[in-house]
Amino acid sequence: MVKKKSRFRRIKRFLSVLLLLAMFLGAGLLPPTFAHMTAQISAVQALPNAQNLLEQGKKLYEAERFAQAIAIWQQATSAFKANGDELRLAITLGNLSLAYQQLGQWTDAESAISKAIASLDAQSLHLIKTSQNRKTLEHSQILAQVLDIKGRLQLALSQAEDALKTWRLCAEIYEKIKDKNAVIRNRINQAQALQALGFYRQAEKTLTQSIKTLESEPNSPVKVTALRSLGNVLQVTGDLETSQQILQQSLEVADSLSDTQAIGDILISLGNTARALQHTQQAIDFYQKAAKTGILPTTRIQAQVNQLRLLLETNQFQTFPTLSSQILTQLNDLPPSRTAISARINFAQSLTQFRKKTTAQTPEWLDIAQLLSTAIQEARSLQDKRTESYAVGVLAGVYEQTQQKSDAQNLTQQALLIAQAIDAKDIIYQWQWQLGRLLKAKGDIKGATAAYTEAVNNLQALRNDLVAVNPEVKFSFRYEVEPVYRELVELLLQPEGNSPPSQKNIEKARETIEQLQVAELDNFFRNTCLNAQIQSQKEDKITAAAVLYPFILPDRLEVILQLPQRGWQHYTTAVGEKEVQSTLKQLRENLTKPHTLRQVQFLSQKVYDWLIKPAKAVLADSKISTLAFVPDGSLRNIPMAALYDGKQYLIEKYSIALTPSLQLISPKPLRKELKTIAAGLSEPRSGFSALDNVKRELNEIRSQVPSSILLNQEFTRSALQKKLNSLPFPVVHLATHGQFSSKAEETFIVAWDERIYVKQLNKLVQTVELNRPEAIELLILSACQTAAGDERAGLGIAGIAFGAGARSTIASLWNLDDESTAVLMSKFYQELANKKLTKAEALRRAQLALLHNPKYRRPMYWSPYVLLGNWL
């Protein structure tokens, strides 16, 4: 029993997150497969009262009155059990499990599904004795439907592997009884399990099979549902363009069937995808059409609430009051249901944000609180603990805004207890974060730190789940996830009275920074593609390197320093975030200009004084030769090599490397024979100008190391893949235009025939890994650049690097002079051939060669090249 309770406490619940997504944004999963008998197979002749109860429960379930559905189905269960009707008993128990899942009553859900399967097992014995073929077919269909529900439960309990096995068994049954529609639904369910396991290529393959099957199927409601569900799956995993295409197909099919309600639902999904693509007006148009088209009041209200939130996000305040007035009128007419309550909560949140963003004094805080109080009462009437927790927690946030701290804390603790009772980690962390803020405001730093720590722990447990939900649609990573980590670091590094932070707190802060860096990359890819790469850290991995964690906080710049064989060093500079960001922006802009050396040196010395000067003596004493930076935010866009102490640049003293996290690297030297695939474009392509010296750069590489060259027309995506497949090349050198952005869909390199976006590059390299397991030791991107104006564009470098599975990556933060690039790369390969040198030292020597050349001594020429990852 203890073991079973412990297992339920560890639930992460992928489905609970997606259910919350559906709750607020109408981007739900496939509708549940109710266990039922079809009229063709069995007409109901007996037990009319029990059968009526079964149907009545289904209607209550569809109205989202889950507790009432449970009560009715429990009565039906007793009736079928008393009459020995094992099949209908299994049907009812399966449906009971669905309802329990909706309410987060996982133990009851598992018990119900186990009893359903036991009932079917009893029926199997009867069928063996009687050999009734018609009954066997009926039994098979019910068994498949019950297994479908069991798979949903397993996925909800984070048992994705078990869910996949269950659904595959389910698929075998559906195929045997030739239920094509059920097979399509099953494939989409399998794809969800594969995504939860991180098997995105397999999930895509499964979904592609579904599309092919659907193409040959006649138009039907199932085809509409399946296409829309597929579009939503693609949406939440970030494949937005394809999502839009599939949803449009779904809309066309629904149009042909004149299925008005389905059209409304699809328009909401299209609005969500357009919103994720930042096509604001298109999203508004879709929401407006959905509100006019949808038959159900809940569809109209969902569309309008989504539109309202979008108006708020894009600061379109003029139409906000009119739309909010319309929503309020409709809300008051809606009967209680999960969707109606969720719309009320979402509406209250939008009104709260409107008050915070504008000087408007309406709506009154009391009116917002009343909306939420009604939501709480309705949630309690439905015994919907999950929605009740959310409503109570949001109400606590209103009290926090109105400075009623004591009431806010009491309500937050209530919401937290309710969420903990159903182990809904995706909302538990929000209330722990809220509680931490309230305790911090009271001056209870110890209590606040504990609350924040628990919030981060839950975010880590939810890591797989959060990234499976499109961050632009549900979890805004930057505003709803990242601040939790940042505010915990801020608390941990606060002085304790007159004493500096303890070594324990410094270590915990460093660990939290690492967790944030990994979470940012997960969010960049919108999947947990980094799971397999995470390394356990040992002291010997960072021998001869100092690791610096500079971290930007609102009122100060913190630096944690890790030195080999020593304790943690920590220092703080009292400089505000605005000044830091302004300085970094000016430095970045001036670094790329030809006649701003003095300004560059002045600004880079300022940054040097913040990051390096306080540790200058201890660094010199430690006799280390390499500095590895784990840079935060805009610091990723700055070449640390160009930091200036008044006499020398940092590159003149140290080899320098960047890493998003020590968890993601396993430093080891390049031991393989130095062979290179070198591909590049010298001619203008894809809207980018010619790179006149690329041909020279590739020839220089060929003269230094054995190389396979792809130039201009030869450099296509398929040609690159063939080269990667042919032999193990430890070095891949791409001399081509490209862009690094904080968004994966705007991060790419340019081939002759197309732009290769980071996710496509990821797939290309993953395909290669199937043929040869050796990782790319070194990926060189010699003409790419960070996206202009994107303060987090440096994240794209890490995205490319880890997307390609490269142990080390050398990239340029900007591209100005391909002649100097050719010189630097030639020198780099000369030095790399010396097996006694690390990659970081080889790059340092190449940069120094430019620095000491009068023609290229300005930082604009030599400093943009950064080494990311393994520096050995």
Side-chain angles (χ1 to χ4, degrees):
M1 184 65 182
V2 174
K3 185 177 179 182
K4 191 170 184 178
K5 285 184 178 178
S6 173
R7 178 164 64 83
F8 280 106
R9 278 197 290 269
R10 294 197 301 270
I11 292 169
K12 292 180 353 188
R13 279 201 291 282
F14 175 78
L15 273 186
S16 70
V17 182
L18 289 182
L19 284 169
L20 193 65
L21 175 69
M23 176 196 305
F24 283 96
L25 299 165
L29 299 165
L30 278 172
T33 301
F34 284 101
H36 67 281
M37 293 182 183
T38 61
Q40 305 95 287
I41 294 178
S42 174
V44 179
Q45 301 294 334
L47 304 168
N49 292 335
Q51 186 65 25
N52 287 340
L53 289 171
L54 186 59
E55 292 302 319
Q56 189 181 341
K58 183 180 175 183
K59 288 177 182 176
L60 287 166
Y61 182 99
E62 288 171 340
E64 299 180 342
R65 305 176 76 87
F66 304 118
Q68 289 169 285
I70 287 169
I72 293 294
W73 278 333
Q74 284 173 336
Q75 293 178 43
T77 299
S78 299
F80 289 134
K81 194 172 184 180
N83 287 278
D85 192 332
E86 300 291 349
L87 270 186
R88 289 183 181 82
L89 177 61
I91 292 168
T92 313
L93 287 166
N95 293 345
L96 261 175
S97 179
L98 274 175
Y100 283 130
Q101 290 175 46
Q102 289 285 2
L103 294 176
Q105 297 177 21
W106 305 103
T107 306
D108 290 332
E110 188 169 62
S111 174
I113 206 69
S114 297
K115 289 175 181 176
I117 292 170
S119 179
L120 288 167
D121 287 344
Q123 179 70 10
S124 297
L125 293 173
H126 171 72
L127 292 174
I128 290 168
K129 291 176 183 177
T130 60
S131 301
Q132 296 182 52
N133 291 333
R134 186 170 144 287
K135 285 281 187 182
T136 302
L137 180 62
E138 184 179 88
H139 176 274
S140 296
Q141 186 179 46
I142 301 302
L143 176 59
Q145 292 165 351
V146 168
L147 288 173
D148 183 13
I149 295 168
K150 181 181 180 182
R152 285 174 175 268
L153 176 61
Q154 288 169 324
L155 189 59
L157 299 179
S158 288
Q159 300 164 10
E161 197 167 346
D162 291 336
L164 189 60
K165 289 176 183 176
T166 298
W167 278 328
R168 282 174 175 166
L169 178 60
C170 193
E172 290 177 13
I173 300 171
Y174 283 135
E175 285 169 359
K176 190 177 291 184
I177 63 176
K178 298 180 180 178
D179 189 340
K180 289 184 179 179
N181 291 335
V183 169
I184 292 167
R185 290 196 302 267
N186 181 273
R187 282 179 181 165
I188 295 174
N189 286 342
Q190 286 189 45
Q192 291 170 17
L194 289 166
Q195 289 165 38
L197 290 166
F199 299 144
Y200 287 86
R201 282 167 292 155
Q202 290 184 41
E204 184 180 11
K205 183 179 178 182
T206 302
L207 293 171
T208 302
Q209 288 174 348
S210 299
I211 292 171
K212 288 179 180 177
T213 304
L214 288 166
E215 284 173 353
S216 62
E217 288 291 309
N219 289 348
S220 66
V222 171
K223 187 172 184 179
V224 173
T225 302
L227 279 168
R228 180 185 174 230
S229 300
L230 177 56
N232 288 334
V233 168
L234 292 166
Q235 179 196 99
V236 298
T237 54
D239 192 350
L240 300 176
E241 300 288 349
T242 310
S243 167
Q244 199 168 48
Q245 293 168 14
I246 297 295
L247 289 170
Q248 285 289 357
Q249 287 181 40
S250 178
L251 185 61
E252 290 168 11
V253 177
D255 272 332
S256 74
L257 298 171
S258 300
D259 190 340
T260 308
Q261 182 53 45
I263 291 169
D265 292 337
I266 297 161
L267 287 168
I268 290 178
S269 294
L270 280 165
N272 294 339
T273 299
R275 177 179 167 189
L277 285 164
Q278 298 184 343
H279 298 164
T280 302
Q281 190 53 52
Q282 187 183 56
I284 289 173
D285 291 343
F286 280 130
Y287 290 144
Q288 288 175 340
K289 288 178 185 175
K292 290 176 183 176
T293 306
I295 297 171
L296 297 177
T298 49
T299 301
R300 292 196 294 273
I301 207 78
Q302 276 186 322
Q304 289 179 321
V305 168
N306 286 8
Q307 182 187 343
L308 191 75
R309 178 160 285 191
L310 182 56
L311 292 175
L312 195 63
E313 289 170 358
T314 53
N315 297 325
Q316 298 183 52
F317 301 129
Q318 289 182 340
T319 54
F320 189 94
T322 303
L323 183 57
S324 60
S325 178
Q326 292 173 10
I327 292 169
L328 184 59
T329 302
Q330 292 178 69
L331 276 173
N332 292 332
D333 296 333
L334 285 180
S337 70
R338 171 173 282 184
T339 303
I341 298 166
S342 301
R344 195 179 292 274
I345 298 168
N346 200 356
F347 180 52
Q349 288 179 304
S350 293
L351 294 177
T352 301
Q353 289 300 315
F354 181 69
R355 285 291 307 263
K356 288 168 67 176
K357 280 191 165 192
T358 67
T359 56
Q361 296 302 305
T362 55
E364 298 284 346
W365 287 115
L366 187 60
D367 295 332
I368 298 173
Q370 185 56 54
L371 270 170
L372 292 165
S373 295
T374 303
I376 292 167
Q377 290 167 13
E378 291 184 351
R380 286 173 179 165
S381 74
L382 297 179
Q383 299 178 41
D384 191 337
K385 295 294 184 183
R386 180 181 184 81
T387 313
E388 180 188 350
S389 172
Y390 215 88
V392 173
V394 173
L395 179 59
V398 171
Y399 279 103
E400 182 184 13
Q401 290 297 318
T402 56
Q403 303 302 308
Q404 299 175 69
K405 305 290 186 183
S406 179
D407 290 332
Q409 184 175 333
N410 289 336
L411 284 169
T412 302
Q413 287 169 327
Q414 286 180 39
L416 182 56
L417 285 171
I418 297 167
Q420 286 172 331
I422 58 171
D423 199 27
K425 288 185 174 64
D426 54 307
I427 50 178
I428 287 172
Y429 96 85
Q430 296 182 61
W431 309 148
Q432 288 167 332
W433 176 26
Q434 191 161 278
L435 181 61
R437 293 197 305 269
L438 291 163
L439 291 171
K440 181 185 175 185
K442 283 175 60 177
D444 183 357
I445 301 303
K446 185 177 180 181
T449 304
Y452 269 99
T453 300
E454 286 302 309
V456 166
N457 290 343
N458 277 307
L459 279 172
Q460 290 299 109
L462 274 169
R463 183 173 165 228
N464 291 340
D465 299 344
L466 285 176
V467 299
V469 178
N470 184 333
E472 298 296 336
V473 175
K474 173 59 190 84
F475 287 98
S476 170
F477 183 87
R478 190 163 183 185
Y479 299 107
E480 296 184 46
V481 176
E482 181 181 339
V484 187
Y485 292 90
R486 290 192 168 280
E487 290 163 24
L488 175 57
V489 172
E490 186 177 4
L491 283 168
L492 289 166
L493 295 181
Q494 279 191 2
E496 300 172 12
N498 295 322
S499 304
S502 65
Q503 284 285 304
K504 181 180 177 181
N505 277 6
I506 293 170
E507 163 64 9
K508 178 63 181 173
R510 183 205 68 85
E511 180 185 332
T512 305
I513 293 170
E514 290 264 349
Q515 289 170 339
L516 172 58
Q517 296 275 354
V518 174
E520 278 192 294
L521 272 176
D522 280 341
N523 182 67
F524 175 85
F525 285 108
R526 295 180 191 166
N527 68 47
T528 48
C529 61
L530 304 177
N531 275 343
Q533 298 181 40
I534 291 182
Q535 312 289 331
S536 59
Q537 287 307 300
K538 295 181 181 178
E539 189 72 24
D540 60 359
K541 286 190 176 182
I542 54 170
T543 301
V547 184
L548 293 97
Y549 296 82
F551 202 70
I552 304 167
L553 292 172
D555 61 341
R556 63 194 193 272
L557 183 66
E558 298 276 9
V559 180
I560 296 173
L561 171 63
Q562 182 179 3
L563 289 166
Q565 313 301 327
R566 297 196 183 193
W568 299 99
Q569 310 287 317
H570 164 251
Y571 45 93
T572 304
T573 302
V575 54
E577 182 178 5
K578 286 184 179 178
E579 184 181 347
V580 172
Q581 299 290 10
S582 173
T583 301
L584 295 176
K585 184 179 179 183
Q586 291 177 59
L587 175 56
R588 178 65 174 76
E589 289 172 353
N590 281 284
L591 274 165
T592 61
K593 297 176 182 177
H595 305 298
T596 55
L597 182 60
R598 286 189 179 182
Q599 185 70 358
V600 165
Q601 289 181 339
F602 169 76
L603 292 167
S604 61
Q605 186 170 356
K606 197 173 179 181
V607 180
Y608 174 91
D609 289 347
W610 295 338
L611 302 187
I612 306 298
K613 188 176 180 180
K616 184 177 178 180
V618 70
L619 287 171
D621 182 58
S622 67
K623 295 182 170 54
I624 56 94
S625 58
T626 302
L627 301 182
F629 289 86
V630 182
D632 177 42
S634 300
L635 287 165
R636 297 189 186 109
N637 293 357
I638 301 300
M640 297 300 168
L643 298 188
Y644 190 64
D645 67 1
K647 295 180 180 178
Q648 287 182 303
Y649 294 105
L650 198 61
I651 196 67
E652 296 181 79
K653 294 183 179 180
Y654 300 101
S655 301
I656 294 170
L658 306 179
T659 175
S661 168
L662 286 185
Q663 292 182 41
L664 298 176
I665 64 169
S666 181
K668 59 178 69 172
L670 179 63
R671 301 186 188 279
K672 297 177 183 177
E673 180 187 354
L674 198 60
K675 292 194 296 185
T676 302
I677 294 174
L681 298 177
S682 62
E683 298 180 18
R685 297 301 292 175
S686 195
F688 289 90
S689 59
L691 293 167
D692 296 331
N693 284 280
V694 160
K695 191 178 292 187
R696 173 188 168 189
E697 182 179 334
L698 299 189
N699 286 333
E700 289 281 357
I701 293 168
R702 181 154 44 191
S703 70
Q704 300 290 340
V705 296
S707 304
S708 182
I709 303 294
L710 296 171
L711 179 63
N712 292 330
Q713 292 94 330
E714 298 171 340
F715 176 24
T716 64
R717 179 179 172 182
S718 60
L720 178 61
Q721 185 162 349
K722 284 179 184 176
K723 286 289 184 187
L724 288 167
N725 277 326
S726 59
L727 289 169
F729 290 91
V731 181
V732 176
H733 186 116
L734 303 177
T736 179
H737 283 294
Q739 176 175 279
F740 305 118
S741 167
S742 56
K743 297 177 182 177
E745 56 269 26
E746 295 174 13
T747 298
F748 59 86
I749 58 172
V750 179
W752 180 264
D753 55 339
E754 62 180 314
R755 293 182 178 185
I756 303 175
Y757 288 85
V758 63
K759 287 192 176 182
Q760 295 170 325
L761 181 66
N762 190 324
K763 291 174 187 174
L764 184 152
V765 176
Q766 286 173 338
T767 304
V768 171
E769 287 171 359
L770 297 176
N771 298 300
R772 60 178 186 85
E774 298 93 340
I776 295 172
E777 291 282 349
L778 177 60
L779 172 67
I780 300 175
L781 304 163
S782 70
C784 298
Q785 58 193 10
T786 53
D790 187 343
E791 67 181 40
R792 297 180 171 216
L795 180 63
I797 299 177
I800 288 270
F802 288 97
R807 290 204 173 99
S808 308
T809 298
I810 292 176
S812 55
L813 292 171
W814 60 85
N815 172 45
L816 276 180
D817 187 282
D818 61 316
E819 182 181 338
S820 62
T821 297
V823 174
L824 179 134
M825 288 300 166
S826 176
K827 179 65 173 173
F828 172 72
Y829 278 100
Q830 284 180 32
E831 299 294 346
L832 194 63
N834 182 348
K835 293 186 178 181
K836 293 181 180 180
L837 296 183
T838 65
K839 299 186 196 81
E841 180 60 20
L843 178 60
R844 173 177 176 266
R845 294 188 182 192
Q847 288 176 294
L848 290 178
L850 288 188
L851 174 60
H852 296 150
N853 183 331
K855 188 176 179 180
Y856 302 122
R857 63 187 178 86
R858 293 180 183 273
M860 64 176 287
Y861 294 110
W862 53 262
S863 72
Y865 305 97
V866 295
L867 172 65
L868 186 92
N870 171 22
W871 56 82
L872 295 183

